[in-house]
Amino acid sequence: GTKKDSLDTRSTPEIIEITDKSDMQTSQLIGLLRGRFLVEISGEDLPRLDKSLPPPNKPVIRQFYLSEAPDKELAMFSTNEILASTLTVMGFRERLEFERVWFERFGTHPDYRRTATLCAGSPIAPHNNVAMVFWKNNKLNIDWCCPNSKDKYLRARKAI
């Protein structure tokens, strides 16, 4: 489809591949985004993020819908509920790459219309807290929520 087709919520979104690279630290992924726009991380501690969310041993390639908002059917599902299910969902590092790809393609940002991606695919031990990522106030916001958090606007993105 064309760029306009991908942004049209009435059509079936395009499918894209997101690669979680084995040679990139989480802080480097954030640095790539910061080269393009503001990124605010609640309680920012990049060395801790690198330790808690390390790169995979080998590149991981998964497919996701190229849609502005996360999956509506995953509204009101907490990280704990998703982890207890058989669903495979986007992790934090994948969400950072998704942001980069989206911005390069469209010059805009996903999750800017009162939604946030719940990165339930990458819980952080020991409490399984996860990132929620959204665009607001002209910056990418990364905040953290407990694994029981759920809201109609806080949604995971399902891997295809």
Side-chain angles (χ1 to χ4, degrees):
T2 65
K3 287 184 182 183
K4 285 186 187 260
D5 291 339
S6 296
L7 293 171
D8 185 350
T9 55
R10 292 169 296 174
S11 64
T12 302
E14 184 180 340
I15 294 171
I16 62 162
E17 286 189 346
I18 295 292
T19 302
D20 188 358
K21 300 173 183 159
S22 57
D23 61 349
M24 295 274 295
Q25 292 294 322
T26 301
S27 58
Q28 292 174 293
L29 297 172
I30 292 166
L32 286 174
L33 297 179
R34 283 186 164 153
R36 293 170 169 87
F37 46 79
L38 289 172
V39 177
E40 185 173 291
I41 305 170
S42 177
E44 183 167 336
D45 183 345
L46 293 180
R48 185 170 175 217
L49 277 180
D50 284 341
K51 185 177 178 190
S52 300
L53 299 166
N57 292 328
K58 61 181 183 178
V60 175
I61 302 170
R62 297 197 301 173
Q63 293 184 327
F64 297 92
Y65 286 113
L66 186 63
S67 59
E68 184 274 318
D71 299 310
K72 284 181 184 173
E73 67 270 16
L74 294 180
M76 299 307 296
F77 280 89
S78 70
T79 295
N80 282 341
E81 290 167 328
I82 291 168
L83 292 174
S85 75
T86 58
L87 287 174
T88 304
V89 297
M90 183 179 279
F92 178 63
R93 292 171 49 87
E94 290 169 317
R95 178 59 181 80
L96 296 175
E97 180 63 7
F98 186 86
E99 184 77 29
R100 187 191 66 75
V101 169
W102 184 281
F103 184 74
E104 285 182 359
R105 209 143 182 211
F106 304 117
T108 62
H109 301 274
D111 291 314
Y112 73 93
R113 293 184 190 149
R114 294 193 62 185
T115 61
T117 297
L118 177 69
C119 300
S122 51
I124 298 175
H127 304 292
N128 283 346
N129 289 342
V130 295
M132 59 181 195
V133 181
F134 57 97
W135 184 262
K136 187 175 179 182
N137 298 328
N138 296 314
K139 63 187 171 212
L140 185 68
N141 294 268
I142 300 168
D143 212 338
W144 307 95
C145 56
C146 74
N148 288 322
S149 295
K150 53 179 154 180
D151 186 279
K152 65 182 178 177
Y153 300 111
L154 183 60
R155 310 174 195 157
R157 291 180 184 267
K158 197 170 22 176
I160 300 169

